[in-house]
Amino acid sequence: MSDRKPYLVMKQVTKIFRSKRTAYHALDSVDLEVRKGEFVSLIGPSGCGKSTLLNIAAGLISPTEGSVWLDGKPVTGPGRDRGMVFQSHALFPWMTVLENIVFALECGKGGAAGRSEEGGWKEEVARRYLERVQLAHAADKRPHEISGGMKQRVGIARAMAVQPKVFLLDEPFGALDALTRSSLQEELVRIWEQDRRTVLMVTHDIEEAIVLSDTIVVMTSGPRAKVREVLSVDIPRPRDKQALLDIPEYRHMKKELLGMLLPKDSAVST
Amino acid sequence: MRGDRLTGVSGRGGLYSAEPRPQPSEQMVPTAVAQLWKSQAFRAAALFGGLVLALWAIWEAAVRLHVVSQLVPAPSEVAASAVELLKNPFYDLGVNDAGIGLHLLSSLRRVMVGFALAVACAVPAGFWIGMSPVIAKAVDPFVQVLRPVSPLAWLPIGLAVLKDADRTAIFVIFISSVWPVLLNTIFGVRNIPSIYLDVSRTLEAGRWTTIRKVIWPAALPSILTGMRVSMGIAWLVIIAAEMMIGGRGIGYFIWNEWNNLNLANMFVCILLIGSVGMVLDRLFAYLERRVRYERS
């Protein structure tokens, strides 16, 4: 289902945060490869630096050592070829839902904000993306007027609107309740199935990782976090959350991941 | 509740009932008042009215009984002066004889011009300083040393350099308005949640687009808070400045009434200045609310 060739590559990425007195060695020579069209989850104990790694891929943080490559070109800073979805959704509260997406469209090259004839065209495109996350009805609402799940759907629509080569999702459902999270996961799969874009997602939710991913990258706990294991999820799609419970492979994988992520002495049960 | 009784249905027992049937017409009025009394606003208004009357009575008595200086007018005299002054506020009989409304407008014009100039300088400067830590550090000593200086200290310098009373008053207002707007703009620009700038960077928004569409709306509530503070200070300072430069203006008007020993007119002025100040403050409070956004 995906090309053999690596698409998003992180080579020997090391990150040391230095302040006046202290230095925190967050990541230590991390290697990561994501193939085109692949859905990869990055999972690890909290504080292991998985979000740092994602921010480095986004270009928001520069690595102390190592390099990031996307589609054969080096990543030197933030860019529209990578669509970021933030955990805190990060919608602008002074804009309506629609304006938030139009803003994303306006920022592109030649999209000088405010030109009216083009503005109308962009609004139409923005509405199309809102429809894809089933939020056409909320176009004129402000972010504080809609629920957390809806906000995150807007965040996803905004990332899709710039048509990036790869989606970077930073614990996109982490701040949501369990039911909303489930339905958003399903929605994300539905959207992803439509054109199978490349996705790198940070999560701390084992089930989420198994249900969504082709590949799960497990990190060790920080400091000096590394890649501990790369697991490929061979459960056929579509994956129904309830049906999964009866698949031995799912239970086995969940147990294996729990074993890696829980502290050694605590009991493991599935 | 008592309201049930008023329907008369429960009182059907009539003759055999021990309680007399309530007369609706008698009950209605006290119930309405009791209902009103429950509202905080009504009680506050009633208390306010009481305070005004009490103050008026004490003041009036103090004047009539000669407890205070002979110069102090009774409130009734102040009220009469107010009627006199406000009857024809905009007459203009030359340099030294103009209605109180003209003086007030003259003060307002100076405040508006000085304030507008201050905002026009302080907001761009605030963006410039707020967006660059280097500039902020370089400019900080100027701000720290100049900010604590009373704007009135600049008045003689203004007179010497500008050689014009009116421009000097505007200059003094400029100085008093500039600091709160500047500092609040810097604060607003510098305290934008970094995630908003991250979004802007990942979308490759240009510098100008980021300023216009992200930093400006994010900092606007803070800027308006600064403007509100500045307006308050400007309205305080204009009175003192006009007392010193003379000519026309509500500050000069008060000073002139001191020369006439007309305290009644001075009291009217004080109430008028306070009322205008209140309106200005309400106006900026309203604007502040308009641009505020709900962090979610």
Side-chain angles (χ1 to χ4, degrees), chain A residues 11-23:
Chain A
K11 273 188 200 152
Q12 295 286 300
V13 168
T14 296
K15 181 67 195 179
I16 303 169
F17 290 104
R18 285 196 171 86
S19 64
K20 270 176 197 161
R21 299 250 168 106
T22 55

Side-chain angles (χ1 to χ4, degrees), chain A residues 1 11-12 36 45 48 84 91-92 131 152 158 164 169 175 179 204 222 238 245-246 256 261 266:
Chain A
M1 82 178 58
K11 273 188 200 152
Q12 295 286 300
K36 194 168 185 177
C48 72
M84 186 91 174
L91 302 176
F92 297 130
E131 267 160 37
Q152 201 49 284
R158 175 172 65 184
L169 316 183
L179 284 176
H204 55 239
L245 296 171
D246 300 324
E256 192 181 355
L261 294 172
S266 65

Side-chain angles (χ1 to χ4, degrees), chain B residues 91 96 151 199:
Chain B
Y91 76 89
N96 281 318
V199 171

Side-chain angles (χ1 to χ4, degrees), chain B residues 127-146:
Chain B
F127 267 77
W128 194 53
I129 296 168
M131 286 170 69
S132 156
V134 176
I135 296 171
K137 282 210 174 83
V139 172
D140 194 54
F142 290 98
V143 178
Q144 295 306 327
V145 170
L146 294 179

Side-chain angles (χ1 to χ4, degrees), chain A residues 198-240:
Chain A
T198 314
V199 178
L200 178 59
M201 176 179 79
V202 164
T203 181
H204 55 239
D205 185 328
I206 291 172
E207 271 176 54
E208 180 170 288
I210 303 174
V211 171
L212 296 176
S213 321
D214 299 315
T215 305
I216 299 176
V217 176
V218 187
M219 292 182 70
T220 63
S221 57
R224 290 176 180 275
K226 285 173 165 291
V227 171
R228 172 173 171 162
E229 203 114 11
V230 179
L231 304 170
S232 125
V233 186
D234 295 323
I235 303 169
R237 296 176 190 269
R239 297 169 186 160
D240 180 72

Side-chain angles (χ1 to χ4, degrees), chain A:
Chain A
M1 82 178 58
S2 42
D3 292 352
R4 277 286 119 86
K5 211 176 66 190
Y7 196 54
L8 173 68
V9 182
M10 304 186 80
K11 273 188 200 152
Q12 295 286 300
V13 168
T14 296
K15 181 67 195 179
I16 303 169
F17 290 104
R18 285 196 171 86
S19 64
K20 270 176 197 161
R21 299 250 168 106
T22 55
Y24 181 74
H25 201 134
L27 299 169
D28 190 53
S29 308
V30 175
D31 283 309
L32 187 79
E33 287 185 356
V34 182
R35 283 169 303 215
K36 194 168 185 177
E38 191 180 25
F39 196 125
V40 176
S41 284
L42 206 52
I43 197 165
S46 63
C48 72
K50 51 194 191 291
S51 283
T52 304
L53 193 62
L54 195 80
N55 278 316
I56 290 172
L60 291 169
I61 300 177
S62 51
T64 310
E65 270 167 54
S67 57
V68 181
W69 300 76
L70 175 60
D71 198 13
K73 290 185 206 86
V75 165
T76 51
R80 293 170 71 82
D81 50 354
R82 285 145 291 148
M84 186 91 174
V85 176
F86 299 85
Q87 179 181 4
S88 60
H89 57 79
L91 302 176
F92 297 130
W94 49 84
M95 294 180 186
T96 64
V97 162
L98 187 73
E99 284 166 350
N100 264 285
I101 298 173
V102 170
F103 176 77
L105 293 165
E106 279 174 351
C107 289
K109 283 196 184 72
R115 243 181 288 159
S116 55
E117 18 168 346
E118 277 185 53
W121 172 78
K122 271 166 192 143
E123 203 179 294
E124 213 162 281
V125 174
R127 278 187 201 281
R128 253 198 345 257
Y129 282 102
L130 273 182
E131 267 160 37
R132 281 185 71 179
V133 295
Q134 298 173 343
L135 275 180
H137 61 282
D140 296 322
K141 292 218 160 72
R142 306 232 164 214
H144 71 94
E145 295 170 321
I146 60 178
S147 70
M150 288 163 85
K151 279 180 230 177
Q152 201 49 284
R153 273 144 74 189
V154 180
I156 292 167
R158 175 172 65 184
M160 290 197 303
V162 301
Q163 298 197 294
K165 289 176 175 167
V166 51
F167 285 100
L168 304 172
L169 316 183
D170 188 4
E171 297 195 26
F173 312 130
L176 304 173
D177 64 272
L179 284 176
T180 311
R181 192 184 312 162
S182 265
S183 74
L184 270 184
Q185 285 164 359
E186 277 170 31
E187 198 159 335
L188 182 64
V189 170
R190 180 181 62 77
I191 293 164
W192 179 76
E193 295 277 2
Q194 288 170 8
D195 49 8
R196 301 239 168 172
R197 299 254 170 177
T198 314
V199 178
L200 178 59
M201 176 179 79
V202 164
T203 181
H204 55 239
D205 185 328
I206 291 172
E207 271 176 54
E208 180 170 288
I210 303 174
V211 171
L212 296 176
S213 321
D214 299 315
T215 305
I216 299 176
V217 176
V218 187
M219 292 182 70
T220 63
S221 57
R224 290 176 180 275
K226 285 173 165 291
V227 171
R228 172 173 171 162
E229 203 114 11
V230 179
L231 304 170
S232 125
V233 186
D234 295 323
I235 303 169
R237 296 176 190 269
R239 297 169 186 160
D240 180 72
K241 255 195 161 181
Q242 269 177 308
L244 275 181
L245 296 171
D246 300 324
I247 300 177
E249 206 174 344
Y250 170 77
R251 290 205 301 271
H252 172 77
M253 191 150 212
K254 192 168 172 184
K255 195 165 179 176
E256 192 181 355
L257 281 167
L258 273 170
M260 281 189 249
L261 294 172
L262 285 177
K264 302 237 159 41
D265 47 340
S266 65
V268 176
S269 61
T270 41

